[in-house]
Amino acid sequence: MAGTVNITHTAGRAMDPPRHIAIIMDGNGRWAQKRGLPRTAGHKAGAETFRRIATYCKNIGVQYLTVYAFSTENWKRSEGEVSAIMGLLKRYLLEAVDTMEKDHIRLHFFGDMTPISPELRALAHETDEISAHLPEGDFQANVCLNYGGRDEILRAVRQFAADCAAGEKQPEDLDDAMFSGYLDSRGIPDPELIIRPSGELRLSNFLLWQCAYSELYFTDVLWPDFDEAELDRAIAAYQGRDRRFGGVKK
Ligand code: IPE
Ligand code: IPE
Ligand code: MG
């Protein structure tokens, strides 16, 4: 539901599988380098891992999977690498248009789509339309494309300021729930678990608002090697965490 916020959870041990898992799909380049392959081969392998992990999440009853596919900073890479990543996304979307309805997979994008090619944007629009016809309880994959946590917050602030200037909102009415409603993730609960493979111990501008009380899980496995067993390990670690949300242990 739009405008809901999720930091007032009940404290305690989380035994259910997370409702929302977010993954920073990192390590594609190093995976390829280790094999003497071009970085683009790593992205291709990483795209396969995404398909596999999305299917697995759906099968084990996770409702939302949010993946970091391309950041607002990734434009610093070579043109060849950027276009290879966009090409893989296009291929995934073309496939999704044909299969998401029968597989009951909803697709959604986080990020500023304005600098994305019209072709990819049109495909994203098409998958949005298909998603809108699928039941809300169906599994949903959120793909972060030209996404940055700071950019998402800035876009939200700009829109809120514009709504205030138009007299539709009052600054003093702004609270967590209202602000969440301006983000790309509006209506989606915050991720209980954020996973980063590849050994890097940082968030790299991922879900900066939404991560407030997420459990973080880091592994050295490179994204193309990440599999169902790895996800099980991450979920088991999450289930062993004591989530207090600022309260005290009972
Ligand atoms: C993640 O893998 C994919 C993107 C950032 C687009 P990388 O390409 O960052 O792989 P490494 O970190 O160089 O190994
Ligand atoms: C984060 O990985 C972005 C994605 C996985 C899409 P990066 O490889 O871009 O992050 P840094 O540069 O290691 O922080
Ligand atoms: Mg990287």
Side-chain angles (χ1 to χ4, degrees):
M1 216 208 314
T4 50
V5 74
N6 309 283
I7 55 171
T8 49
H9 314 263
T10 317
R13 220 162 261 278
M15 287 315 289
D16 293 328
R19 185 170 171 210
H20 183 177
I21 296 179
I23 306 181
I24 301 172
M25 304 190 292
D26 195 22
N28 295 348
R30 279 163 283 171
W31 181 90
Q33 209 168 13
K34 268 178 38 185
R35 286 161 181 77
L37 298 169
R39 295 179 56 84
T40 50
H43 295 311
K44 193 162 178 240
E48 278 312 312
T49 303
F50 165 62
R51 286 177 176 84
R52 184 169 164 176
I53 294 300
T55 303
Y56 187 60
C57 281
K58 184 191 159 211
N59 291 343
I60 62 173
V62 170
Q63 200 189 343
Y64 300 97
L65 171 68
T66 300
V67 291
Y68 207 1
F70 192 87
S71 76
T72 45
E73 287 73 38
N74 287 147
W75 299 103
K76 292 174 188 163
R77 299 183 181 207
S78 75
E79 208 190 311
E81 182 169 346
V82 170
S83 62
I85 294 168
M86 297 301 164
L88 286 163
L89 274 163
K90 181 182 155 191
R91 193 199 288 183
Y92 176 72
L93 288 183
L94 282 169
E95 212 179 275
V97 164
D98 288 339
T99 57
M100 55 197 279
E101 199 145 15
K102 84 167 164 47
D103 292 345
H104 281 264
I105 293 183
R106 300 196 306 160
L107 257 188
H108 186 63
F109 284 85
F110 290 0
D112 176 7
M113 299 295 274
T114 41
I116 302 299
S117 78
E119 199 186 14
L120 255 183
R121 272 161 52 190
L123 277 168
H125 182 71
E126 214 176 316
T127 56
D128 267 347
E129 302 252 286
I130 300 171
S131 301
H133 293 115
L134 286 168
E136 274 199 24
D138 276 359
F139 171 76
Q140 179 168 325
N142 304 306
V143 178
C144 299
L145 176 54
N146 188 33
Y147 174 86
R150 286 187 174 187
D151 181 66
E152 180 190 32
I153 291 168
L154 288 175
R155 284 185 283 112
V157 170
R158 272 185 219 121
Q159 187 56 53
F160 178 70
D163 288 352
C164 288
E168 288 165 17
K169 289 276 171 12
Q170 299 301 320
E172 55 276 19
D173 293 340
L174 188 65
D175 59 9
D176 267 15
M178 187 185 282
F179 190 69
S180 296
Y182 280 88
L183 296 170
D184 297 336
S185 58
R186 58 189 155 272
I188 300 169
D190 292 339
E192 289 89 350
L193 172 63
I194 297 181
I195 301 171
R196 180 162 196 163
S198 93
E200 308 298 352
L201 306 180
R202 55 178 172 263
L203 289 173
S204 302
N205 207 5
F206 190 45
L207 303 179
L208 298 184
W209 170 272
Q210 299 86 345
C211 75
Y213 271 100
S214 301
E215 296 297 330
L216 307 180
Y217 181 86
F218 298 98
T219 166
D220 287 338
V221 171
L222 301 172
W223 175 246
D225 291 329
F226 195 95
D227 60 9
E228 293 84 346
E230 282 298 329
L231 191 75
D232 286 344
R233 272 192 277 282
I235 293 174
Y238 159 80
Q239 288 172 331
R241 304 274 176 93
D242 186 21
R243 307 190 76 201
R244 290 187 294 278
F245 302 101
V248 287
K249 216 170 173 176
K250 292 248 167 62

